[in-house]
Amino acid sequence: MDFTPTEEQEAARELASRILGDLSTHERLAAAGTGTDAELWKALSTAGLPAAVEEIGLLGLVLLLEEQGRVTAQVPLAVTGVYGILAVARHGTEEQRARLLPGLRDGTAVATGAFPAPGTVTAHDGRLTGTVGWVPWLRDATHVLVPDGERGLWLVRAGDAGVEAVELTAPWSAGRLVLDGTPAERLGGGEGAGAYEDVLAAARTAFAGLQAGVCAGSLARAVAYTSVREQFGRPLATRQAVQLRAADAYMDTESIRVTAYEAAWRSDAGLDCSGAALTAAWWASEAGRRVVHSGQHLHGGMGADLDHPVHRHFLWGRQLDAYLGHGTELLAELGDLLAKGDPA
């Protein structure tokens, strides 16, 4: 396997890093509150970054989300990428791709997904009924990808469904999705087995990439702070306990990153990536929680300040720890998957 980015992937990552670094500042994030930064989303869309996901694939999307996570930028890039562009491009009919992808590419349409677990929604004659407690970026979405109890995937126009605002740990413009005989269209017209599993694996991989960025940003802030904050006449960074805590956080962050890269690479290569995606999600949950706690603790009393930038990384890291499965749930699912495999 080779995780080296292509020229196109690296160019997209560098462009995203520049735009996000310029516009996703602490001051702008504080002003945005819990909502999406519409100006930043427009800048990313104008630069063609959502549209580039089709070409740069899941690994390219992971690279973009790493840059988003570093600055905790409040834009629906992850959900539009995996539940919209990649899901429709991989599993939609030719007519669905022609109708839906243009808006998703230019940012005028935003997709999200009512994942991970099906079973809360039933489908009958092209209409859906059920409630999903919270869906990320639902308040911004024009389309929602909804799994039914049989793991069929349905596209719902957000305007046809009931949407109630929900505040999460992280400011993800989330909402409660209420379906009451809501009209929907089957993604791919019902053709193609395994679409649910593929989309879920892609989502877990993408959000693991986002967590890698969140952790990298938290660690970078901790390193900068402990390098200048002095105690008893010496910078905190010279203390062995601080160095070891930061080193552990670095290794955890790298573990999240490399497992996300592997899962994305396997997906783009057309290989089975279910186990790799679960592994990446487990690292994002378990190690991600450790890293953002370390980042906050290394800031000492400043880490408890709700207005300090590192606190935002802590909130995002804890939200990502819970999204698409807790660590113990993911580990149990991975164990079941391995138990079904070839004993050799």
Side-chain angles (χ1 to χ4, degrees), residues 41 50 53 58 61 65 76-88 104 111 206:
W41 180 240
V53 171
L58 183 56
L61 177 60
L65 294 176
L77 179 59
V79 287
T80 294
V82 291
Y83 298 130
I85 293 173
L86 290 180
V88 173
L104 294 169

Side-chain angles (χ1 to χ4, degrees), residues 34-322:
T34 61
T36 292
D37 187 335
E39 182 179 343
L40 176 56
W41 180 240
K42 182 178 181 181
L44 293 171
S45 300
T46 300
L49 288 172
V53 171
E54 283 181 89
E55 180 179 354
I56 62 179
L58 183 56
L59 180 55
L61 177 60
V62 165
L63 295 174
L64 300 184
L65 294 176
E66 269 195 88
E67 299 306 319
Q68 178 186 355
R70 289 180 199 276
V71 293
T72 60
Q74 293 170 198
V75 289
L77 179 59
V79 287
T80 294
V82 291
Y83 298 130
I85 293 173
L86 290 180
V88 173
R90 290 179 175 182
H91 304 290
T93 64
E94 184 176 345
E95 187 276 332
Q96 286 172 333
R97 291 195 295 270
R99 171 165 47 89
L100 297 171
L101 286 176
L104 294 169
R105 290 173 185 141
D106 64 23
T108 56
V110 171
T112 188
F115 278 67
T120 58
V121 175
T122 59
H124 181 69
D125 290 337
R127 293 182 176 273
L128 303 183
T129 300
T131 300
V132 182
W134 69 272
V135 177
W137 282 284
L138 181 60
R139 283 177 271 167
D140 297 330
T142 56
H143 296 81
V144 188
L145 189 63
V146 182
D148 63 22
E150 303 299 322
R151 299 197 172 190
L153 294 181
W154 299 83
L155 284 166
V156 175
R157 288 179 298 187
D160 293 335
V163 176
E164 303 168 3
V166 173
E167 297 301 336
L168 304 179
T169 302
W172 287 1
S173 295
R176 182 169 180 260
L177 180 67
V178 180
L179 304 168
D180 186 10
T182 305
E185 63 174 312
R186 188 74 177 263
L187 181 66
E191 300 296 331
Y196 171 83
E197 289 77 10
D198 179 69
V199 173
L200 179 56
R204 283 171 165 163
T205 302
F207 279 93
L210 185 61
Q211 181 75 302
V214 169
C215 291
S218 174
L219 181 58
R221 291 188 182 280
V223 169
Y225 178 80
T226 56
S227 296
V228 298
R229 177 73 167 88
E230 292 190 355
Q231 186 181 65
F232 304 115
R234 292 171 54 191
L236 287 173
T238 63
R239 309 290 177 178
Q240 187 179 49
V242 172
Q243 294 171 358
L244 292 174
R245 190 75 183 271
D248 285 342
Y250 173 80
M251 294 305 297
D252 274 338
T253 301
E254 288 301 297
S255 296
I256 300 169
R257 176 182 290 114
V258 73
T259 52
Y261 285 5
E262 179 185 2
W265 176 85
R266 291 185 66 87
S267 177
D268 289 341
L271 303 172
D272 176 42
C273 64
S274 52
L278 282 166
T279 301
W282 182 82
W283 275 103
S285 176
E286 294 288 305
R289 183 173 65 251
R290 290 196 296 266
V291 173
V292 296
H293 273 270
S294 294
Q296 190 178 43
H297 290 168
L298 289 174
H299 278 77
M302 293 300 295
D305 183 357
L306 301 184
D307 294 324
H308 194 282
V310 76
H311 192 67
R312 189 175 294 110
H313 290 269
F314 176 79
L315 295 177
W316 276 63
R318 290 312 307 261
Q319 186 67 55
L320 286 162
D321 161 35

Side-chain angles (χ1 to χ4, degrees), residues 19-45:
I19 295 173
L20 291 165
D22 289 344
L23 294 182
S24 189
T25 62
H26 174 58
E27 293 73 21
R28 285 177 58 87
L29 287 168
T34 61
T36 292
D37 187 335
E39 182 179 343
L40 176 56
W41 180 240
K42 182 178 181 181
L44 293 171
S45 300

